[in-house]
Amino acid sequence: MTQASRKLEEARRLSIFGLLREAIEAAKAGDRARALELCEDAWNYTPEPRYGWDVTYACLDAAVKCLRITGHYDRAIQLVEGYLESGYFLEYQDGPDFWLGTLHFEKGSLDEAYRYLEAANRISRGRCFVEEDPRFKAFFKTFKSGKT
């Protein structure tokens, strides 16, 4: 059963988003250590239950992107799996499957990557690839054509 999310107070929400924005900027600038530190700070500043807030999904999206850019794939997978097991995950959300697919792609686990991307694609009817790195869609199409 899916639990209802609670609304996080605005000041804390803005602080968390600010930390995640800084983390992504640091990641894009190549400062992996600083990006990881800021990302973890943002996650740790999120009160318990960390997955139970109205902003959790957006925070996870930013955290996963940051961790993917910096190569911290296992940490990102851990966060996503925590969300899937939390009771707050909604079955129609394609994000967790997409995130896991991209993380496994980056790790070189291509069968796993395809499995998750296929689920995300099915849920979103292809919208999961919009505004994302085109490598993921290219991989999905190429891998899919090799499967048929």
Side-chain angles (χ1 to χ4, degrees):
M1 182 171 140
T2 302
Q3 300 179 49
S5 299
R6 299 183 312 190
K7 186 170 175 69
L8 189 62
E9 67 172 284
E10 187 173 355
R12 186 168 286 221
R13 169 195 318 252
L14 293 174
S15 294
I16 291 167
F17 283 141
L19 288 167
L20 288 168
R21 195 170 23 262
E22 285 182 59
I24 290 173
E25 289 171 9
K28 287 179 178 178
D31 192 347
R32 293 171 42 127
R34 181 74 177 139
L36 178 61
E37 176 186 359
L38 289 164
C39 189
E40 292 292 347
D41 286 350
W43 188 247
N44 291 331
Y45 191 53
T46 306
E48 293 291 344
R50 288 201 171 101
Y51 297 102
W53 300 99
D54 58 335
V55 296
T56 297
Y57 193 86
C59 290
L60 275 174
D61 184 46
V64 167
K65 285 179 181 173
C66 178
L67 294 168
R68 188 175 62 220
I69 291 168
T70 61
H72 293 97
Y73 311 127
D74 291 331
R75 176 62 175 137
I77 289 170
Q78 180 184 39
L79 291 177
V80 176
E81 288 176 346
Y83 179 60
L84 292 172
E85 297 166 3
S86 71
Y88 293 97
F89 167 67
L90 302 170
E91 292 293 323
Y92 62 81
Q93 293 175 326
D94 65 342
D97 285 315
F98 186 79
W99 301 329
L100 289 170
T102 63
L103 293 163
H104 284 287
F105 171 82
E106 296 293 2
K107 287 181 69 166
S109 304
L110 301 184
D111 287 327
E112 283 291 294
Y114 178 78
R115 183 170 67 86
Y116 285 112
L117 291 173
E118 183 178 43
N121 185 61
R122 185 176 54 256
I123 293 166
S124 72
R125 298 184 180 146
R127 290 184 303 273
C128 60
F129 295 104
V130 175
E131 296 184 21
E132 292 289 345
D133 188 326
R135 296 178 306 139
F136 303 131
K137 186 174 184 178
F139 159 75
F140 179 73
K141 285 182 162 186
T142 302
F143 203 86
K144 182 178 182 177
S145 67
K147 290 265 188 203
T148 55

